Amino acid sequence: MKRWLASLARNTHASSAAEFALVLPLLLIFLLGIIDVGRLMWTWNRAEKATQMGVRYAIAADMVPNGLYSYSFVNGSTITQGDPIPESAFGGASCLINAGAVSCSCKTGATCPANLVGTSNSDQASALTAFNNIVNRMRLFMPEIGSANVTIDYDYSGLGYAGDPNGSDVSPLVKVSLKQLTFRPLLLMLFKGSIALPSFSAALTMEDGQGTVAN
């Protein structure tokens, strides 16, 4: 019995298999980690491209806050026909989807027209269509984007003249942002875990704000 145990202790035929079993989990983690880094960079790139294409579409298509597009800043006292629009008259607005409807509001500490979106049903439908057109363009590059992930800002740019007969009095800096995106690594799929991604945004100056052809 002792001789058999000694012989068994000196036997090395299974050492390679044992070493492989110890190293295999580390190799799998390393391999999946490399794949996850590539998937993360691909997701990151698609999100950036989606915001870039979204804002390129937004500056040439219909302005989401249609009330801002049709608003005249001529007030007969401090702002007259042809005057540049001051920041005190329009400081910036932000639009998002809230309960299936478009909600546009002045940014904190900023001023803007009271009715950024018209009050009629057709105005509301027009704003929703304009917003969804931008989102749909972004989905061409990242299909998992939802309307709730998108915010569209119209910021003061210093461009625009009161009483412009050819379109909007203001030419805001349009910024399209993506938020609340997540990435699920292969290593965390068994545990249904995910990683929150940062916000992505891109900005360009409004061109015409009424792109019936682009739509």
Side-chain angles (χ1 to χ4, degrees):
M1 183 68 179
K2 291 181 179 180
R3 183 179 300 176
W4 180 83
L5 291 175
S7 176
L8 181 63
R10 292 193 299 270
N11 193 317
T12 60
H13 286 86
S15 60
S16 298
E19 292 170 357
F20 181 75
L22 291 173
V23 174
L24 180 61
L26 296 177
L27 289 176
L28 289 177
I29 292 174
F30 182 71
L31 177 62
L32 292 177
I34 292 176
I35 295 174
D36 279 338
V37 169
R39 292 177 60 243
L40 175 61
M41 297 308 297
W42 172 239
T43 302
W44 199 293
N45 181 265
R46 289 191 300 133
E48 288 185 337
K49 182 60 67 175
T51 56
Q52 292 168 5
M53 294 299 103
V55 76
R56 286 177 65 86
Y57 186 89
I59 64 172
D62 291 337
M63 191 182 288
V64 175
N66 46 52
L68 174 63
Y69 180 85
S70 59
Y71 183 80
S72 175
F73 285 83
V74 177
N75 58 24
S77 56
T78 58
I79 304 177
T80 59
Q81 183 82 20
D83 286 347
I85 306 300
E87 190 171 3
S88 58
F90 176 71
S94 183
C95 299
L96 48 80
I97 293 289
N98 186 13
V102 174
S103 175
C104 295
S105 58
C106 292
K107 291 194 169 184
T108 303
T111 56
C112 56
N115 294 321
L116 289 169
V117 177
T119 56
S120 69
N121 290 335
S122 61
D123 286 333
Q124 293 290 334
S126 175
L128 184 60
T129 298
F131 194 101
N132 284 333
N133 283 340
I134 297 170
V135 174
N136 289 336
R137 178 57 62 95
M138 298 171 70
R139 282 177 177 153
L140 295 176
F141 301 88
M142 196 173 189
E144 57 266 40
I145 292 174
S147 297
N149 298 123
V150 179
T151 301
I152 306 173
D153 296 325
Y154 295 83
D155 296 326
Y156 179 77
S157 67
L159 302 175
Y161 298 91
D164 189 338
N166 299 315
S168 174
D169 282 7
V170 293
S171 295
L173 182 68
V174 183
K175 182 175 73 173
V176 174
S177 303
L178 269 176
K179 58 185 180 180
Q180 297 176 349
L181 295 177
T182 59
F183 172 75
R184 178 170 291 181
L186 295 174
L187 290 171
L188 296 181
M189 282 187 176
L190 291 176
F191 307 99
K192 296 183 179 181
S194 60
I195 298 174
L197 296 177
S199 297
F200 300 86
S201 63
L204 289 171
T205 305
M206 175 66 70
E207 292 182 1
D208 58 11
Q210 191 177 26
T212 54
V213 175
N215 286 341

